[in-house]
Each structure stands twice: as C-alpha cells, then as structure tokens.
Amino acid sequence: MYGRYAVKRIIYGIITYMVIIFIFSMLFNTVVETTLRSLLEERLQGEFLQMDLGNYSAEQITELKAQRRDQLYRMHHLYSPFIVRVFWRAYNTITFNFGQSTNVTSSSGERDVGMIIAEAVPRTALLFTVAAVINITLFIFLGIKKAQKAGKMFDQSTSIITMVVFGMPSWWLAMLLIMFLSYVIPLFPSGGMFSTPPPEGSWARLVDLLYHMILPVLTLVLLRAWGGAYLIRNIVLGTLQEDYIMSARARGLPEQKVLYGHTLRSAAPPIATMAVMSLLISFSGGLIFEGIFSWPGMGNLFWVALQQYDIPVLMGNLAVTTLLYMSGLIFLDLIYGLLDPRIKVGGKA
Amino acid sequence: MNKEQIPVKRDYKPGKIATAQPSRWRDLGVSLRGFWKEFSQIKYGVAGLILLAIFFLMIVFEPWLIPFPEASERWRDISYWDSNPRNAAPGWINWFARQKGATHQYLRDPILEVEEQARFKVIKGTFSYDYRFDLPPTGLSLRGLGKGDLRLTVRLERPDGQEIELYKDSLRRRNEDELKLPLGGLQAASTAFEFGQSYDSAENVKRVNRHMIRPYNIFFARAQEGILLKPEPLPGEYKIHLDVVAIGQDAYIKDPYLIVSGRVFGLLGTDNSRRDIWSGVVAGIKWAMFIGLLTAFISVVIGVTYGVTSAYFGGWIDSMMMRIFEVFVSIPILPVLIVLSAVFKPTIWLLIFMMTVFFWTGPVRTVRSIGMQIREETYIEAAYALNASHARIIFKHMVPQLIPYAFATMALAVPRAIIFEASISLLGFGDASIVTWGQILHDAMNGGAILQGLWWWVIPPGLTIALMSMTFAFIGFSMDKILNPKLKTR
Amino acid sequence: MGRILEVNNLKLYYYTARGPVRGVDDISFHLNKGETLGVVGESGCGKTTLGTALLNMPSPPGRIVGGEIVLAGSDILQLNEKQIRQQIRWEKISMVFQGAMNCLTPVYTIEKQMLETLQEHREMDEAAAGERIRKYIAYVGLSDDVLRRYPHELSGGMKQRIVIATALFLEPEVVICDEPTTALDVVVQAQIINLLKELKEQLGLSFIFITHDLATEAEVADRILVMYAGKIAEIGTNQQIYGQEGQIHPYTRGLLGATPRLREKVAKLDFIPGTPPNLLHPPAGCRFHLRCPVVMERCSVEEPPLKEIEAEHKIACWRCFDE
C-alpha cells in the first residue's frame, strides 16, 4: 500500500520535473542559443587554429569554416524548428548534460558546468541542513511550550516576535550582522567558508569551518525559529482539542504521555510537513543570502553566474535547484505517508 | 431554526429588492460585521491597521514630507542631488555622537565688493563660516550664476591666520549659466598635502599616502605635528575669500553662494551618489505598497477562483487542474524569478505579472478542500436543481464564504511580494525607472556601505521592508486567529 | 443492593468571557449497584457535562465549584489530580464516549492503545495484558484481528465496541455511557445495546446511560433521571416514567409526546415550543416555566425543589405537588 503510493509519487515527480525543464527550455531558448552559438564559434576557431592551413587559400579556409560551422550547427539541432530545439535543450538538461560555462570555473579550473555545480551543492547542503536541524529542534521545543501556555505572556510575546520578523529579509539581517559583527566589531568573519589561507590539519579546518558558519546560521535561526514555533503551536493546540486527547486523559494516562505520545505523534504529519517546507523555503529564498556571505554554494553560484552573465551555469544551476526543491517536496510526501497511518496502511476494512 | 435560503431566479428590476435573498452575500455582510467586532479586540490587529494607515498617509503626503519631492522620478539623475554631501550621516546623530560632524550649510549673501574698471570688473566676496565641530566638512562647492570671461580665485582663511588657496582657474560662459565649482579633487589633495607637510614631522610625511588624504580634514585642522595622520580640529571663524575678475563689459558673476558639504545631512543621511536617503525611503513606500497589494490581490483572486472551480467540478476537471497546479508548486520561485529577471529585465508590470504567475498557488489547496466541503451542502444541490449556472453557484454561493480566508491570505501574501521584489532589485534587476527599497540596498551593497559601516544607508530601507511586512503580518495573523476556531484559547 | 455512587449538590460552571455558564447546577442523585441509570434531556441540558464531571474532567473553561461525588464511601472531589488519575479514572469509573469516530488516537494500533491504558493502571507484563485484552475483545464480539488495525480501518460499530471493551477491561464499578449509539445506524445500535445489557449482567456492572433518545433509554434503563437546563426535573423508575399512568413532569411528558410510537397513529407529533434557556442567565423560578404548557404563577417566581411524590419517584414541579 505504502510502497505503491511511494512509487507513484516518485514517478509523478519525475514527470513533473521533465515538464518543468521543458518549460524552462522554452522560456530561455533564445538566450541559451545565443550563448551556444558563441561557444560553438569559439570551438570552431580553436579547431582551426590547430590545423595546418598553409596550403589553403583564404577563400578555401572560409569555405571550410562555413562547412564545419554548418556541421556543428546540425549536431546541435540549430536548424530544426522551435519545438525540436526546445526538446533537445530539455533533453540535455534532464540528462545532466549542462555543457561548458562561458566564464565561471570550478575550483580545479574546469569549465564543465556539471562539475561546477556538483562542487557547490554539498556546501549549500551543509549550511542549510545545519541551520534546519537547529531550527527544527528550536521550533518544536518553543512550539510545544507555547501551546502548553497558550494565551499567556510567553505565547503572546513570542507570537509578536514572529510577526515582527515575518517580513524581514534574511539577506538584510545578514548585511546588518556582517556590518556590526564583522566590520564594526571584528568578531566574526565576513564571509566565505574558510579563512584564506585555510588552516592546516583537519581539526583546525573543522573549527575554522564552524567559525565561518556561525553568522549565517545565526541569521537563519534568528529569523525562522519563530514562524515554525507559531505554526507548531497552532497545530498542537488544534490537536489538543480532538476527542481522542480527552479520551486519553479520561483513561488515566499521565499528561506527559498524552502530550508527547498522543498529541505530538498525531500531529507529526503536519509538523513534519511544516519542518520540511520551512527548509525548502529557506533554501529557495536563501540563495541571495549565500551571496551576501560569499558562502560558495549554489546561491553564490547564481550570483557569480549572474554577474558574469554565464548562461550555461545559470541554466544548469536552475535545473539542479529545481530538482533539489522538487525532491524535497517528494520527500515530504513520502514522510507524510509514513507518519500518517491512513496513508501508510490504506483505507477502510 | 435555520431559514434555508433557496436561491430563486427572478427578473430583477433596478431598485426592486427580491423577497427571497438569493445568495450568501447577505450572510457575508452580517458575518463581516461580527468579524470586525472580534478583530477590533485583538491588539496587534488594531496596531497593524494603524500602521497601515500611517503608511497610506505617508504616501498621500509624500511631497510635503520629503525635501526632494521628485526623488522617485529623478533617483538616477545626478544633477538633482548634486548639492548634497556624499555619504553623510543623519543630522540627528550629532545629539548622541561623541564627535560632532559638521552640518551641511549654505553660505549665502557674502559681503561683496564690486570694483568697476574700464574693461573689467573685480568682484571680491567674503563668506563667513563658523566651525565648531569635531569632524570637518567633506568639501566646499561654489555656486552661482555667471557670464562671460571669468577668472576666479578662492582662498580659505583660517582662524590661525593661515591662508590656503582652494581654487584658481578661468571660465568662460557665453550665456548666463549656472556655475558649479567643486573645490576639491586632486588639486585640493595635493594642496592639503603640501600644507600639512610644512607642519608635520618627516616621519609622518613618509608614512602618509598622498592619494588617501582627505583635504578638508587637513584644512580644518590644527597646524601641528600629526596633522597629516591624526588631524585635530581647529575651531573658529573661517573666511572664504572669492576673487573674481570678470573681463569684458557683459561678464559678471551673480548670487554666488557656497555649499559646505556636511558630515551630516537630513533625516537619514545620504548615499555615495549624494541622494537623500529619507526621500528615497519615503518615495519607496508607494512602490512597495503598490507591488505588494497588487500582486497579493491578483494572485489570491486567481488562486481562490482556481481552487473553488476545481473543487466544484470535481472529477477529471479537478484532476487535471490539480496536475497543472502540481507543476507550478514544484518550481522554486525565487531562483526562477531571479533568472527570469536577469534574462528579460522586467519593468515593474512584468515583475508583478511574473510574481502572480507563481503566487496564485498559495491558497489553492485550502480553498479547494473548503470548496469540496461546501459542495456537499444541500443548498448547492438545490441551486443546481433550480437551474443556476455553474458560474452563479461558484460566485454567489461558494466564494462569499471564502472571502475572509482570502483576505487573511492576501494580507500574508503582501510581505512575500515585497521581499521578492526587493530581492530581485538587490541583485540589480529591478525596474530602474522607479525607486524601491531593494534598489537602495543594491546601491548600498555595491557602494561599500557594509564595509564602511554606513549604517544609515543599510538599516532604513531594510527596516521599512520589515516594518511594512510586520504591518501586514499583524493584520493577517489576527484575521487568521479569528477565522480558525480551533485556536481560541479563551 | 447498595448505593455505589452518590452525587450531592454538584455544581459545574463554565467560566466564559461573558460570565459563568451554569452547566450543572446543584444536582443530587444516587446510583445503585448493578442498575442502569438513564440520563435524558435535550441538547445542552447538561448531560454530557455531568458525565465529564463524574470523572472530574470538566472541559475547559469549566470548573467544579461545589458538591461532592461519593464513590464507594469517599468523596472523590477531595482527591488531587494525581490520585484521581491513578485511582479513580478508569479504575473505578470509566466512560464510553459518544461519537467513537474520534475517540481513538489515529496513529496507534488498537492493541497499542489498549495495552497502554491497561499497563498504565496495572502491573502486568505483556503476555498477561494481552490475554486480558483479547478476553474483552471477545466479550464485545470482535476477533483478535482488530488489534493489529488502525482506527481508520474500522467501521463505526467496531470502534464503538472497542471503546466499550477498553472501558470495561479494568472492571470498574461505574461505567458512564455517553450517547454510545447515537452515531450508529439502527441495526448496529441494537447490537450495541444488547451487548451492553449482556455485559452488565455478566460482569455485574453499574451503568449511567446518557442519551437524548428516549426510545433507547426505555430499553436499557432501570431508573431514569430527566435533566433540564442544568437541573434535575425528575427521577423515577422506568415504569414510572414510561408507563402511561401516574404523574410525570410536564417536560418529560413533552419529551415523550414528541417521540413517535410504532403502533400509534398520530396526526401530528407534539413538540415543546421554544428553546432551552440561556444557562448564563437562567430564568427565575422553575427553569422550564417559559415553555411549560401547564405553568402556574408560582412557577415563575419560586424554583420547585425535588420532592418525592411516591417511592423512588421524585419530581421538581409545583403543579405535580398540588395534585
């Protein structure tokens, strides 16, 4: 039952991803092709430079170049009708064939977009996962506390904080923290993952990494912990009103068990949903955030690619970001299914 | 107990009220009044409304609130701002600061002596400047109207008697023209260096970087050792002497005045393009409000309609609509918006359009589930039996019940739209024909505000984003509290 | 036939923003061992409030503000929460809830929930506990199969039986049944009622059976307590209330009149006009007087006490005292 649900969901996700990439290909087709043409031109010139052309006249060389250009264009389907071109671009993207960048290089100097992105992904993952874990712990803890003392001072004041920071851009807070804690009072590094030059020894490197992570993680936590707490509080309060909670109490179960065993466990599906959603949102919105901190992850890659107008990197990064985002959504559904027996086990007897 | 209202099709003549109320709109009226009563009891909801009112008032009274009323249209017009100082801190800082910065001043009506000769005029003017600050002005600028062949010399006379030549040059203006002569630049820097050299120790002279000197820090400093590296302010009465030789009968100089570029200026200081930040921030209010409200409104309208329609029709229409919905929901909005903006360089309208294309998905799930519940109600069945059209059932019976929820969603969608626009502007892809807070922050970032600690440039725009979002959050959350009965705590 | 439960002058008020709502206002009655006491009344008369009060679990913002509940000799309201939870709730008094739809936690299997309750109250290892559970599941006519299931997989009738089994397996002295059959269809209703009767005989239980359905009440109850607006209108034996002779409270008469009968043909069903009173500001005098077909002047002024007009039959009505 669950297995079927899971497989269905995953397949469905793959199809959706392909549709989205197709749409992207359509939207960005012009821009991508312009870049493609110039890249091909570059390649063409490169090829010809390496050939021995002493025996050819100028016209013959031009003729050869035109032929070769024609060949390349055919290879890349540049003469085909619009839909076909879009299809091939999408196909490339879906098979992770992102091509070469125009400017950006990976840390080893490569221009393979796939490699560039592959380097950036784990760095982003590190930052956001750490922040997410801290956040989730905090807001479950805070949320339960708020629900227990609903309506009282603690609950009200934390709710107000939630609203106050509701619209505070994370990158702005980042700017402030950097300005005050990095320049005005040089307490923390202003960016990057490691100091330059990075320290020797794995222990020292780890400490250095953590040191660089403090400000970004702090920013994320300061902003996001409240919203989650508020939502959890609501979910828990809502669950506490359910009949089965009263029934559990009537059966003489101690309050601890009722709260954690029954309430929280029953509320686990929406809480898990919320936790994962908040991770996804902070990931999607945090791309600018990375740039402010020069944290060399996917967000920063966007920045760099934007500044240098490196289309292949942009497109590749966009595709991978979308893929990760979607995977998060699928993961969410799968977890929800596991936690909610109605889905895990299926329908009525 | 429940007067079931069966919808009746009648021929409506204008002014004639049908005896059977045909829809849920009347219920809506009653429930809105009750809603308001509850709403007014929530403190932060009311606070939100008050803040909202303040923002609207600021928009309405904008031309009177800011010293540069054309801030929005002429944000990128250098000439509009050029009489302001650069990177000046807010004026009120002088109340708190240990070191008081020179205020921005306009020295007018100098004492003028005009000596007319046969072929030329000699005009001598003297401006008085009383300097009692810890941080000297960042520059001086001579303005006025002039015509013809003019030779100008400007000298600074310090309280300790020293004189420094700030400017010496010839100008020619065919017609009467505005003169804008900044008395600074490389010229002033080398003058300052030479001046300081004669007073400072040889060691300091070697240590200092000629090109990093701020001339006016030196001009207004005590002539002593350390003047080049750690100038100490010299308070007192300064005089700026203007000597003009106007050659030819119709050459003249008129209404000269001096701009003393202050360290502090205005309510929120200036940025590195001399723009008054207060004007920029206030001018940005209307854009933020406009973008936020319009995006939120359109996207929620679309979302609610979509959700209700999908719920109402059910079956394969519902399935198909939800499939389309799933595609949109799976796209990470901000990265895509950013790339779209980079490639298509949108105007504000296109930006709103792009945001709406993504935001409409927000309310759909909830609206659809509520819609599915409403659909099961008997009055819907009754309406259908009485041959009401689909549109009528949807809009007259189902939608009104969702209006409170729609409003709450709208309120919470506004901050999202504002932040998205700010994010895109931050990256430099915003609409350059208007000024938004995000754009100000973009300039701040590129202008090194963070590095230089120009907090007045970084804090206000972001703070207003946060404040406006907070306002809508207050309103939205309190609506949410009322509408969600499970959350009543007492 | 001793008294197993005695309730004296019980008051439970709900403290709302607009003032105290008198859910249960000075109620006194007793329950004999081995009998079923039915509690009837319209919606909102205080029946369910009474049920939760007996477990000392008033729904917030309710509070018990007076009276005593004497169970096996001692007043349980004097105990603190921990003592009540450990010694009274489910041990001595248990409850079969209405709308068993939602009384079982959806994320745990039946077995886990029953085990949890059982082990909370008794020192039992899993084997012994499992045995007891299976015994009671069999009593209520279900197979062991249901234990592995989640609540959503079961039908309404099955869930109700499980709730009954859970309420009984600690073998409490008093079982409160709050509308146990209201949410079920007629066939299942009959099954459940028969089941309850059987178990009562078999295990020697005493029931308090709360419902608004007079027909069901007639089936199960030995004595009946009629509640109106938080007060007792009448207590009597089944025969006294349902039998067509003798005095009964006008409200009870109205309720009976409104119940359709199988073999009687009526042109029109009687109903009691008006609506139940506002418990925030109850009417002066007899609470029923505004709707009573035989109201007298005295009724609007003075509240009638609960007086015994014949053996085992008490009524609170001025009209009934006179005649």
Side-chain angles (χ1 to χ4, degrees):
Chain A
M1 181 55 38
Y2 178 69
R4 242 190 333 179
Y5 167 78
V7 169
K8 221 171 101 168
R9 184 70 186 88
I10 294 177
I11 290 185
Y12 192 61
I14 295 179
I15 298 180
T16 314
Y17 178 66
M18 293 204 264
V19 170
I20 296 179
I21 296 297
F22 200 79
I23 297 178
F24 283 169
S25 287
M26 272 205 291
L27 277 176
F28 297 116
N29 191 46
T30 326
V31 133
V32 168
E33 286 194 349
T34 316
T35 317
L36 185 60
R37 276 173 220 261
S38 48
L39 273 177
L40 286 179
E41 201 59 33
E42 193 185 308
R43 184 167 152 191
L44 186 70
Q45 301 299 347
E47 283 177 0
F48 272 74
L49 275 175
Q50 305 209 340
M51 289 173 11
D52 177 21
L53 302 166
N55 297 330
Y56 295 97
S57 72
E59 288 113 34
Q60 280 172 319
I61 295 182
T62 320
E63 173 70 28
L64 276 173
K65 276 196 184 170
Q67 276 182 0
R68 177 67 179 146
R69 185 178 294 122
D70 202 52
Q71 200 179 36
L72 283 173
Y73 277 21
R74 265 183 219 293
M75 252 170 62
H76 286 91
H77 311 278
L78 282 171
Y79 292 126
S80 314
F82 180 72
I83 280 293
V84 178
R85 287 176 0 234
V86 166
F87 171 73
W88 281 109
R89 306 284 153 258
Y91 179 75
N92 278 337
T93 311
I94 293 176
T95 51
F96 296 104
N97 178 7
F98 297 125
Q100 304 283 64
S101 75
T102 53
N103 278 317
V104 178
T105 57
S106 72
S107 55
S108 41
E110 301 264 343
R111 280 174 60 185
D112 177 38
V113 175
M115 196 176 290
I116 298 175
I117 297 179
E119 270 182 0
V121 170
R123 298 174 188 153
T124 301
L126 174 65
L127 186 61
F128 283 100
T129 316
V130 168
V133 165
I134 297 181
N135 260 335
I136 293 177
T137 321
L138 261 184
F139 56 59
I140 290 188
F141 177 67
L142 276 179
I144 295 183
K145 224 160 175 230
K146 277 165 67 92
Q148 281 176 315
K149 304 194 181 175
K152 304 215 185 87
M153 177 51 52
F154 178 79
D155 180 30
Q156 300 237 23
S157 53
T158 46
S159 294
I160 304 271
I161 299 181
T162 308
M163 291 181 252
V164 168
V165 301
F166 184 77
M168 199 178 278
S170 59
W171 40 262
W172 178 70
L173 189 60
M175 284 166 126
L176 286 188
L177 285 181
I178 294 180
M179 190 158 70
F180 288 117
L181 294 178
S182 213
Y183 287 111
V184 173
I185 313 173
L187 211 57
F188 294 106
S190 66
M193 236 169 112
F194 293 103
S195 319
T196 33
E200 301 286 315
S202 47
W203 184 247
R205 274 177 74 93
L206 180 63
V207 172
D208 190 41
L209 178 66
L210 288 176
Y211 181 56
H212 279 83
M213 267 176 37
I214 293 182
L215 270 192
V217 170
L218 184 67
T219 316
L220 283 176
V221 167
L222 272 180
L223 283 184
R224 304 253 176 261
W226 313 100
Y230 184 82
L231 283 174
I232 289 204
R233 166 219 192 251
N234 287 353
I235 295 174
V236 169
L237 267 188
T239 314
L240 281 175
Q241 310 251 359
E242 296 277 3
D243 296 328
Y244 53 82
I245 298 298
M246 188 207 26
S247 157
R249 286 198 181 116
R251 297 207 292 272
L253 296 178
E255 196 58 26
Q256 277 291 79
K257 264 214 184 134
V258 173
L259 188 59
Y260 289 98
H262 289 252
T263 314
L264 216 50
R265 179 62 184 82
S266 302
I271 290 180
T273 305
M274 210 211 64
V276 176
M277 271 321 293
S278 101
L279 171 62
L280 284 182
I281 290 178
S282 100
F283 166 71
S284 137
L287 296 194
I288 299 196
F289 176 81
E290 266 192 14
I292 306 271
F293 279 108
S294 308
W295 183 268
M298 295 169 68
N300 199 27
L301 192 58
F302 262 113
W303 272 85
V304 169
L306 284 169
Q307 277 167 358
Q308 303 187 23
Y309 209 68
D310 189 335
I311 299 288
V313 172
L314 268 183
M315 292 298 134
N317 205 1
L318 192 62
V320 174
T321 307
T322 309
L323 183 64
L324 286 177
Y325 187 78
M326 271 200 62
S327 310
L329 288 178
I330 296 180
F331 177 69
L332 177 65
D333 280 339
L334 295 181
I335 293 251
Y336 192 98
L338 264 181
L339 288 174
D340 186 346
R342 282 171 280 215
I343 301 181
K344 179 165 147 211
V345 177
K348 290 198 127 212
Chain B
M1 219 166 295
N2 218 350
K3 268 187 298 217
E4 249 337 279
Q5 292 145 355
I6 300 184
V8 173
K9 248 190 182 153
R10 281 180 191 236
D11 284 307
Y12 287 100
K13 297 203 185 87
K16 179 175 176 189
I17 302 171
T19 45
Q21 289 293 339
S23 78
R24 302 283 126 190
W25 288 96
R26 185 196 189 212
D27 283 345
L28 177 68
V30 168
S31 68
L32 275 182
R33 249 168 279 146
F35 185 81
W36 172 249
K37 192 156 164 241
E38 274 198 71
F39 188 88
S40 46
Q41 300 214 355
I42 303 180
K43 277 179 268 184
Y44 49 82
V46 175
L49 282 180
I50 295 179
L51 279 171
L52 192 62
I54 295 179
F55 276 121
F56 273 117
L57 284 174
M58 286 180 89
I59 295 179
V60 167
F61 289 108
E62 179 190 310
W64 291 277
L65 282 175
I66 53 181
F68 293 88
E70 289 179 66
S72 185
E73 296 82 36
R74 300 183 66 179
W75 189 249
R76 284 158 232 286
D77 178 1
I78 306 183
S79 64
Y80 189 60
W81 307 97
D82 63 9
S83 44
N84 292 347
R86 214 188 275 277
N87 287 341
W92 42 265
I93 199 92
N94 274 346
W95 287 3
F96 311 103
R98 270 178 302 129
Q99 296 198 304
K100 307 210 183 291
T103 53
H104 191 71
Q105 293 181 21
Y106 295 87
L107 307 174
R108 298 184 195 268
D109 299 325
I111 309 164
L112 272 182
E113 278 171 27
V114 184
E115 199 185 298
E116 296 229 16
Q117 305 275 349
R119 304 270 212 104
F120 55 86
K121 292 194 266 284
V122 176
I123 305 160
K124 287 192 202 266
T126 305
F127 297 91
S128 283
Y129 178 54
D130 193 22
Y131 174 64
R132 303 228 173 259
F133 302 102
D134 302 300
L135 298 168
T138 53
L140 289 175
S141 184
L142 180 66
R143 301 286 173 96
L145 296 165
K147 184 177 168 190
D149 233 324
L150 304 167
R151 287 171 210 198
L152 300 115
T153 312
V154 183
R155 289 171 292 123
L156 176 69
E157 185 190 323
R158 296 153 45 105
D160 63 2
Q162 300 285 342
E163 272 203 13
I164 304 177
E165 186 178 273
L166 293 176
Y167 182 88
K168 183 174 184 157
D169 206 355
S170 312
L171 298 175
R172 174 172 295 171
R173 294 281 185 269
R174 211 166 265 184
N175 299 310
E176 177 177 289
D177 199 12
E178 199 184 347
L179 302 171
K180 292 187 184 180
L181 308 173
L183 310 173
L186 287 174
Q187 172 88 19
S190 59
T191 313
F193 180 68
E194 275 157 33
F195 181 75
Q197 207 173 27
S198 46
Y199 294 99
D200 212 342
S201 64
E203 205 188 302
N204 282 350
V205 169
K206 270 202 219 125
R207 286 211 291 192
V208 82
N209 181 347
R210 272 184 95 115
H211 304 290
M212 298 283 280
I213 294 182
R214 307 236 201 144
Y216 284 84
N217 285 6
I218 297 180
F219 293 155
F220 284 86
R222 286 189 196 279
Q224 61 191 21
E225 179 172 337
I227 187 175
L228 285 174
L229 288 176
K230 263 185 164 191
E232 290 235 353
L234 173 67
E237 175 101 11
Y238 286 71
K239 292 205 199 301
I240 296 106
H241 299 288
L242 170 66
D243 298 313
V244 185
V245 179
I247 301 178
Q249 284 293 24
D250 42 354
Y252 60 86
I253 181 166
K254 198 161 84 169
D255 296 330
Y257 65 95
L258 206 62
I259 302 181
V260 181
S261 275
R263 287 280 165 144
V264 299
F265 179 83
L267 278 171
L268 287 179
T270 62
D271 66 7
N272 70 351
S273 302
R274 303 177 186 274
R275 296 178 288 212
D276 177 37
I277 293 178
W278 166 253
S279 299
V281 167
V282 173
I285 298 181
K286 58 180 180 292
W287 295 115
M289 195 67 92
F290 177 69
I291 294 172
L293 286 175
L294 197 58
T295 309
F297 181 75
I298 299 180
S299 53
V300 170
V301 164
I302 297 179
V304 169
T305 313
Y306 194 90
V308 170
T309 311
S310 186
Y312 174 74
F313 284 110
W316 65 269
I317 296 186
D318 180 41
S319 287
M320 197 184 67
M321 286 179 89
M322 290 317 280
R323 295 277 179 265
I324 299 178
F325 167 77
E326 296 277 339
V327 171
F328 275 91
V329 149
S330 306
I331 302 180
I333 304 183
L334 194 58
V336 174
L337 264 185
I338 291 177
V339 177
L340 279 174
S341 302
V343 170
F344 293 110
K345 305 192 193 346
T347 60
I348 185 176
W349 294 103
L350 189 55
L351 192 60
I352 293 179
F353 172 72
M354 293 197 304
M355 284 199 284
T356 338
V357 162
F358 290 105
F359 279 24
W360 66 263
T361 57
V364 170
R365 279 213 176 104
T366 314
V367 165
R368 176 171 168 269
S369 70
I370 297 181
M372 296 207 293
Q373 282 177 5
I374 301 179
R375 190 180 55 157
E376 302 304 321
E377 302 265 2
T378 26
Y379 57 81
I380 299 292
E381 224 181 290
Y384 189 71
L386 285 165
N387 218 9
S389 70
H390 294 308
R392 189 188 173 92
I393 297 182
I394 293 180
F395 286 106
K396 282 205 145 173
H397 295 276
M398 296 174 87
V399 169
Q401 297 190 45
L402 288 160
I403 288 195
Y405 174 76
F407 272 114
T409 312
M410 255 188 253
L412 293 174
V414 172
R416 223 173 146 214
I418 296 179
I419 293 192
F420 272 57
E421 185 278 324
S423 304
I424 293 186
S425 296
L426 182 78
L427 293 173
F429 300 120
D431 186 342
S433 65
I434 58 171
V435 56
T436 65
W437 298 327
Q439 290 176 16
I440 300 180
L441 284 168
H442 165 78
D443 294 332
M445 216 173 54
N446 286 353
I450 304 177
L451 286 167
Q452 300 174 47
L454 306 179
W455 52 269
W456 59 89
W457 198 358
V458 178
I459 296 186
L463 196 60
T464 31
I465 295 179
L467 277 174
M468 191 174 273
S469 302
M470 182 180 90
T471 307
F472 284 98
F474 277 170
I475 297 178
F477 274 58
S478 39
M479 283 185 162
D480 191 49
K481 190 170 175 186
I482 299 177
L483 294 173
N484 197 338
K486 277 188 178 175
L487 306 181
K488 302 248 192 254
T489 48
R490 202 139 295 220
Chain C
M1 275 279 257
R3 291 187 178 193
I4 194 150
L5 176 71
E6 227 179 276
V7 175
N8 298 319
N9 309 104
L10 184 64
K11 292 194 181 90
L12 194 161
Y13 292 177
Y14 290 100
Y15 286 89
T16 67
R18 279 175 282 175
V21 173
R22 308 182 190 199
V24 166
D25 208 356
D26 201 356
I27 301 262
S28 302
F29 65 92
H30 69 271
L31 175 69
N32 297 319
K33 185 163 169 57
E35 80 171 344
T36 300
L37 175 69
V39 178
V40 291
E42 285 169 302
S43 313
C45 70
K47 336 190 276 293
T48 304
T49 306
L50 181 59
T52 60
L54 291 175
L55 283 172
N56 200 354
M57 263 184 56
S59 316
R63 282 214 305 271
I64 296 184
V65 290
E68 44 177 32
I69 301 174
V70 181
L71 185 61
S74 53
D75 178 10
I76 65 175
L77 291 178
Q78 299 299 324
L79 303 171
N80 65 39
E81 174 66 21
K82 191 162 175 203
Q83 289 169 314
I84 295 188
R85 183 172 63 73
Q86 287 175 338
Q87 298 164 18
I88 306 293
R89 276 194 208 130
W90 234 248
E91 292 269 1
K92 304 238 173 69
I93 311 186
S94 72
M95 194 153 160
V96 175
F97 296 96
Q98 65 180 335
M101 301 296 151
N102 211 10
C103 284
L104 296 165
T105 307
V107 289
Y108 293 135
T109 58
I110 303 297
E111 177 157 27
K112 175 147 182 1
Q113 296 189 46
M114 292 182 82
L115 259 181
E116 187 184 25
T117 309
L118 192 50
Q119 287 182 315
E120 183 62 37
H121 288 269
R122 297 271 184 275
E123 290 284 336
M124 278 183 159
D125 63 3
E126 244 184 81
E131 228 185 274
R132 168 94 67 121
I133 291 176
R134 272 180 269 281
K135 182 165 124 190
Y136 277 85
I137 291 286
Y139 271 155
V140 296
L142 292 172
S143 76
D144 277 2
D145 205 33
V146 301
L147 291 175
R148 296 184 293 113
R149 305 235 169 257
Y150 287 96
H152 71 273
E153 295 180 82
L154 306 171
S155 72
M158 293 164 89
K159 280 193 273 197
Q160 190 73 62
R161 290 170 200 257
I162 289 172
V163 169
I164 293 174
T166 314
L168 300 183
F169 66 20
L170 285 180
E171 290 157 5
E173 303 178 6
V174 179
V175 180
I176 307 173
C177 299
D178 189 350
E179 309 267 14
T181 56
T182 310
L184 305 169
D185 66 61
V186 190
V187 178
V188 182
Q189 235 180 52
Q191 290 173 345
I192 299 290
I193 291 175
N194 286 334
L195 176 64
L196 286 171
K197 281 190 188 170
E198 250 177 65
L199 289 172
K200 188 181 108 180
E201 290 305 317
Q202 235 175 29
L203 305 171
L205 304 165
S206 318
F207 280 136
I208 297 183
F209 198 96
I210 304 177
T211 182
H212 64 267
D213 181 358
L214 288 163
T216 315
E217 207 67 278
E219 264 294 310
V220 297
D222 300 315
R223 285 190 310 130
I224 301 194
L225 189 156
V226 181
M227 276 189 77
Y228 185 77
K231 290 199 154 284
I232 299 184
E234 179 167 11
I235 307 182
T237 66
N238 192 324
Q239 183 58 29
Q240 285 161 346
I241 303 273
Y242 286 101
Q244 308 255 339
E245 331 121 3
Q247 275 284 16
I248 54 174
H249 194 287
Y251 176 57
T252 315
R253 194 186 300 277
L255 284 179
L256 289 170
T259 309
R261 261 154 253 255
L262 190 56
R263 296 200 174 85
E264 256 176 56
K265 237 186 176 170
V266 283
K268 194 170 81 168
L269 274 180
D270 288 327
F271 64 94
I272 309 173
T275 55
N278 181 349
L279 292 178
L280 184 58
H281 302 292
C286 169
R287 296 204 177 170
F288 185 60
H289 81 260
L290 293 166
R291 303 166 76 187
C292 183
V294 294
V295 60
M296 305 187 306
E297 225 183 279
R298 196 174 181 193
C299 305
S300 55
V301 173
E302 213 181 317
E303 198 178 321
L306 195 62
K307 212 162 91 171
E308 191 159 350
I309 58 165
E310 48 176 343
E312 295 290 331
H313 192 181
K314 297 192 186 142
I315 302 190
C317 173
W318 293 122
R319 176 73 73 173
C320 300
F321 297 162
D322 289 349
E323 294 163 22

